[in-house]
Amino acid sequence: MKNRHRWLADLGFIPSIIPPCSKFSAGGFGLKVVLFLLVLFTPVKSVAQSPRKVTVAYAAISPIFAGAWMATEIGAFEKHGVKADLIYISSGAVTVQALVGGNLDVSIAASNAVVSSILRGAPLVAVGSITNRPAMSLFVQPNISRPEQLEGKVLAITRHGSSTHFLTLFTLEKLGLKDKVKIQPMGGTREVDAAIRAGMVAGAVRSMRPGPKTRRLIELPDLGIPFSMDLIAVKRDFAKGSPKVVEAMLKGYLEGVAALKTEKKSAYKVLAKYLHASGDVLDEAYEYAVKYLGPLARVEPEVIQTVLNWENKRDCHRQRISR
């Protein structure tokens, strides 16, 4: 047990339950939100010699998921006794729904979608965070050079409840453009990029440049928003019943992140495979992954608080409308 906790400490995890991050009113009822990092107190047998198959879904075609891609391709998960079956489900909100519905073992999806689901009673546990910065930028059409020029225009998102939706709303509020810009869901990241290139929308919050002519208007980390791009989440019963499997998944994932930096040639091949890209796009994707994917998968309380504060404001807004 001591060795297990020492391993968690080395990765930046706290081997206990985080105290409630927030208490707020929603629909007239007080809610106390307790988010778990990982609890590994019950002695269990080690993962069997035959790799345990685990279905893992990621929520976008973006280099933010390069750690999971790399871990799969270099056999890092198998090294620790699990066989990860990676699948792509467009949008964090849909990915979390699939996890709640029992179709997945692990989801890597928008933190706001995970937290919102927990707030509504879903038995989920956040066991890791991909990055604790909003690793995206607001890209716009080349004729737009100032934020105020977005007023009355349309910005694309993947789906309602996704990280692009959350960060777009948050960015517009920071820029004083709340309720002054229309939000249009497109379905997925590729559809968003296509809409921008076709001139159907003024821009979008994206991890990578959606087209060669687009302008990077704002880098979201500059706005000072503490935000986890994607949380690694499992069902609570899975975390309690298979803690060694969860531990193995996290170890494998972090080895994948490390390999991105030490095995650059292999990393480019992996990015090319999953992004279906080449040339300058791969250079941008690699630089992005190295910049934002850190050596720890710590869930910082501040990034959870950002989502809690936003949910509180939305609930208060709904209450005012209903009166």
Side-chain angles (χ1 to χ4, degrees), residues 57-61 65 87-93 95 108-110 158 189 230:
Y58 59 95
I61 306 298
F65 300 103
I87 61 173
Y88 164 56
I89 299 178
S90 180
S91 168
T95 304
I108 311 176
T158 53
T189 51
D230 295 276

Side-chain angles (χ1 to χ4, degrees), residues 66-218:
W69 299 342
M70 191 73 175
T72 300
E73 296 300 320
I74 66 173
F77 292 127
E78 284 84 350
K79 173 184 173 181
H80 293 286
V82 292
K83 180 174 176 56
D85 182 17
L86 283 191
I87 61 173
Y88 164 56
I89 299 178
S90 180
S91 168
V94 179
T95 304
V96 172
Q97 289 172 10
L99 177 63
V100 174
N103 299 312
L104 306 172
D105 297 305
V106 182
S107 73
I108 311 176
S111 63
N112 53 290
V114 174
V115 174
S116 296
S117 187
I118 292 173
L119 286 173
R120 285 154 183 75
L124 304 181
V125 180
V127 298
S129 175
I130 299 298
T131 182
N132 291 314
R133 291 186 290 168
M136 286 189 166
S137 297
L138 175 57
F139 290 99
V140 296
Q141 298 293 355
N143 61 326
I144 298 174
S145 57
R146 303 185 311 277
E148 55 267 29
Q149 291 178 280
L150 291 171
E151 186 169 345
K153 292 184 170 59
V154 180
L155 291 181
I157 62 172
T158 53
R159 297 173 187 257
H160 290 294
S162 65
S163 57
T164 59
H165 184 206
F166 181 89
L167 288 172
T168 298
L169 293 175
F170 212 108
T171 301
L172 291 174
E173 184 171 288
K174 283 276 189 178
L175 297 175
L177 292 171
K178 181 181 178 181
D179 300 325
K180 296 179 181 179
V181 178
K182 183 179 178 182
I183 305 297
Q184 181 63 51
M186 293 295 177
T189 51
R190 289 172 176 165
E191 290 81 2
V192 168
D193 291 353
I196 294 174
R197 289 194 294 268
M200 296 169 55
V201 295
V205 168
R206 296 285 290 111
S207 55
M208 293 177 59
R209 189 178 299 278
K213 297 180 180 180
T214 54
R215 180 196 302 268
R216 190 192 306 268
L217 189 64
I218 295 169

